[in-house]
Amino acid sequence: MSEVNLGDAPFTMTIDGKRVEARPGEMVLAAAKRAGIAIPTLCEHKAVESFGSCRLCMVEVTKAAWKGWKGLMTACLYPAAPDLIIETQSERVLHVRRNVLDLLLARCPDSTLIQRLAAEHGVQQTSFSVREQPDLCILCGLCVRICESAATSAISTVKRGHHREIGTPWGGPPPACIGCLACAHVCPTGHITFEEHGATRAIWGRSFELQRCAECGAPLPITVEQASFLVERQALDASYFSRCESCQRRATAQTFGRLARWQKLGLTQEPDARQEGGKR
Amino acid sequence: MSAQSQPQFPPVDLAATEAILARYAAEPKHLISVLQDLQLHYRYLPREALERVGAALGVPLAKVYGVATFYKAFSLTPRGEKILRVCTGTACHIRGAPLILSELQSRLKIAAGETTPDLRFSLEAVNCVGACALAPVVMENDTAHGNLSVTKVRRLVRSGAAGSRGRGSAELPRPDDSPAKKAEESEES
């Protein structure tokens, strides 16, 4: 590597013949996305680090100095570098992409997302034998990664090889789950499902009570467990999730109203707050 | 799940788990070592022990479970005192491994991959154990029994059933001087 990285200085590289600006430390996929060049991907999410499990973002990578050698790399894991020449639509790339989609279609024939992506690449039906009792899970692991980074690592990939699946400890309701739905939200194929009725939410075989507004009793869109998890993790005030949005808004408006009245009286502080020792 | 279909889960003495945990620093990187020691002691990984290990090493239970289900060396269901691994590799297959396996299955009344309810035997069909000259081979824990016939296999089951009676410890018997073991050693040299 003869290039000298000048700290945070952006540099340029070539994607599909276009000069594209990239920053040190970012991956080819991110630079391409910013330049408006679409590379299909299923397992990538801005909230978690790239993982490279869906293999859909494969691109051809080369440099002028590589004497014609081109490598197939996952764009989400290949660091951008000066003078890289990337091809996202070459025959080789499209061939690999079709193969990946062919395999995904054999795994998840009922996924409308996979069906659409495959059809877009000219794969109408899989050339492999379809899995028995297929579900919608492509095993990208995005749910596991988001649960680890944003929540409590309540789920994981279990077993191995073709028995591998996303699961909970001993297949039962996961004790660490806080019902935040992050896993269901990021799942690209909608494999992870949940139900919500009134103030109850059910996911992974567990049932959660939703946090209720301390004033009007309306359910908030987070569970009790999630509220206490967030309060602790973000070091929030314990009452942070105690009001629903409209009650919070009313409370704020009332505070402003009071402030306006004190100002008319020439006060700079709330009278009783001053007695407590000048809180705000 | 398969865990529920197993007939017996003996009561778990967690003192052993604590003793094993005491051997290692309380860091996530020691997870697999701890699991190996647990597997050796209990002959499977009891849920109670794994919950304790996760809490002690600071590894989420889901991850502990993920690791425990990933490696074939770990079992989440109690294994028998004697694990019979029937080699079904090419050489053994040709020399009658299917007969040996079906004899063991009907004798022990379990399928390959299962454990007898009295926890004396686990039966496994494995790929090549690397002793093709002894085909057909059955590994009894760490001991290889070669040149087997259906009659010899019956004897193996009977001696195993007799030998384990009244033995309460989790220690694996290792008859190092058995003829089969010697034959295996000379094979390797």
Side-chain angles (χ1 to χ4, degrees):
Chain A
M1 293 275 144
S2 55
E3 295 84 23
V4 180
N5 265 351
L6 299 170
D8 296 332
F11 49 84
T12 58
M13 50 187 204
T14 310
I15 305 182
D16 292 345
K18 254 172 79 176
R19 296 301 284 170
V20 167
E21 188 170 279
R23 298 170 195 137
E26 88 179 337
M27 299 296 161
V28 166
L29 182 64
K33 198 182 262 181
R34 200 149 26 77
I37 296 165
I39 299 173
T41 167
L42 289 167
C43 72
E44 189 259 352
H45 195 280
K46 61 185 172 191
V48 291
E49 268 184 47
S50 297
F51 196 56
S53 61
C54 76
R55 315 312 287 176
L56 208 53
C57 68
M58 297 276 261
V59 293
E60 262 192 310
V61 178
T62 189
K63 279 190 182 185
W66 290 359
K67 297 174 189 162
W69 186 85
K70 293 177 177 180
L72 275 170
M73 307 288 173
T74 47
C76 69
L77 286 176
Y78 199 83
D83 306 326
L84 274 184
I85 302 165
I86 315 277
E87 281 180 62
T88 73
Q89 299 288 334
S90 71
E91 193 38 54
R92 197 166 160 220
V93 167
L94 292 177
H95 177 74
V96 169
R97 216 175 271 169
R98 276 194 295 271
N99 259 329
V100 169
L101 287 164
D102 197 348
L103 285 162
L104 284 173
L105 204 53
R107 184 177 170 84
C108 303
D110 302 328
S111 163
T112 49
L113 173 68
I114 304 295
Q115 285 168 1
R116 183 172 57 76
L117 276 172
E120 278 172 16
H121 287 80
V123 181
Q124 299 305 330
Q125 68 185 80
T126 179
S127 57
F128 300 95
S129 59
V130 171
R131 192 162 58 123
E132 280 172 39
Q133 295 174 314
D135 55 24
L136 295 178
C137 181
I138 59 164
L139 288 176
C140 66
L142 192 48
C143 49
V144 173
R145 289 178 285 140
I146 200 87
C147 189
E148 185 178 359
S149 68
T152 55
S153 257
I155 53 173
S156 63
T157 54
V158 299
K159 300 180 216 163
R160 75 193 291 183
H162 59 267
H163 299 295
R164 188 159 167 260
E165 60 186 19
I166 304 296
T168 58
W170 288 269
C177 183
I178 53 171
C180 69
L181 305 185
C183 51
H185 183 75
V186 297
C187 179
T189 55
H191 172 65
I192 300 174
T193 54
F194 67 94
E195 277 177 40
E196 211 167 89
H197 298 292
T200 325
R201 180 185 285 176
I203 189 166
W204 290 116
R206 262 189 76 173
S207 178
F208 295 90
E209 282 302 306
L210 293 185
Q211 178 90 355
R212 281 180 182 277
C213 174
E215 282 173 33
C216 70
L220 270 66
I222 64 171
T223 66
V224 175
E225 287 84 350
Q226 190 183 356
S228 50
F229 170 79
L230 286 172
V231 162
E232 192 184 335
R233 172 160 154 162
Q234 306 298 119
L236 301 171
D237 193 83
S239 64
Y240 194 89
F241 296 111
S242 65
R243 288 197 191 106
C244 71
E245 214 180 319
S246 59
C247 288
Q248 182 61 48
R249 216 176 278 141
R250 195 179 317 121
T252 311
Q254 280 165 358
T255 310
F256 279 134
R258 271 207 308 279
L259 275 171
R261 280 198 295 280
W262 308 328
Q263 270 182 342
K264 272 188 194 154
L265 295 171
L267 296 171
T268 52
Q269 271 184 319
E270 192 174 2
D272 43 280
R274 203 167 31 184
Q275 283 159 17
E276 281 169 25
K279 197 175 86 183
R280 205 174 295 179
Chain B
M1 296 226 80
S2 62
Q4 269 80 51
S5 67
Q6 284 289 325
Q8 284 192 8
F9 277 75
V12 177
D13 175 18
L14 281 181
T17 306
E18 298 299 338
I20 287 167
L21 280 170
R23 295 178 202 159
Y24 300 91
E27 293 166 35
K29 66 178 179 185
H30 296 302
L31 176 63
I32 290 179
S33 308
V34 170
L35 295 188
Q36 283 174 323
D37 290 3
L38 289 174
Q39 175 76 39
L40 207 61
H41 179 83
Y42 294 108
R43 284 190 268 117
Y44 78 112
L45 300 178
R47 176 169 188 156
E48 298 89 327
L50 291 190
E51 283 169 346
R52 178 70 193 102
V53 166
L57 301 185
V59 182
L61 186 62
K63 280 202 169 169
V64 176
Y65 183 74
V67 171
T69 55
F70 184 82
Y71 294 102
K72 278 223 164 162
F74 300 136
S75 170
L76 291 176
T77 52
R79 311 303 315 279
E81 207 165 313
K82 294 201 169 169
I83 299 172
L84 299 178
R85 294 188 176 90
V86 182
C87 178
T88 57
T90 312
C92 289
H93 180 85
I94 288 169
R95 303 207 48 171
L99 280 177
I100 305 277
L101 183 60
S102 73
E103 175 65 19
L104 282 171
Q105 286 179 334
S106 63
R107 286 275 141 185
L108 300 171
K109 298 187 181 65
I110 51 172
E114 291 180 353
T115 300
T116 55
D118 61 3
L119 296 180
R120 287 220 179 100
F121 290 102
S122 287
L123 185 59
E124 281 177 11
V126 299
N127 299 322
C128 190
V129 299
C132 303
L134 300 177
V137 178
V138 172
M139 297 286 295
E140 178 195 3
N141 292 338
D142 292 331
T143 310
H145 296 274
N147 295 315
L148 286 177
S149 61
V150 167
T151 340
K152 284 185 190 163
V153 161
R154 267 180 220 156
R155 218 176 296 149
L156 192 67
V157 171
R158 238 179 291 133
S159 74
S164 67
R165 205 156 278 153
R167 203 196 297 257
S169 96
E171 219 86 71
L172 301 178
R174 271 192 177 208
D176 279 335
D177 50 354
S178 75
K181 182 84 181 176
K182 275 186 189 143
E184 188 203 19
E185 276 160 11
S186 65
E187 189 65 34
E188 281 165 7
S189 60

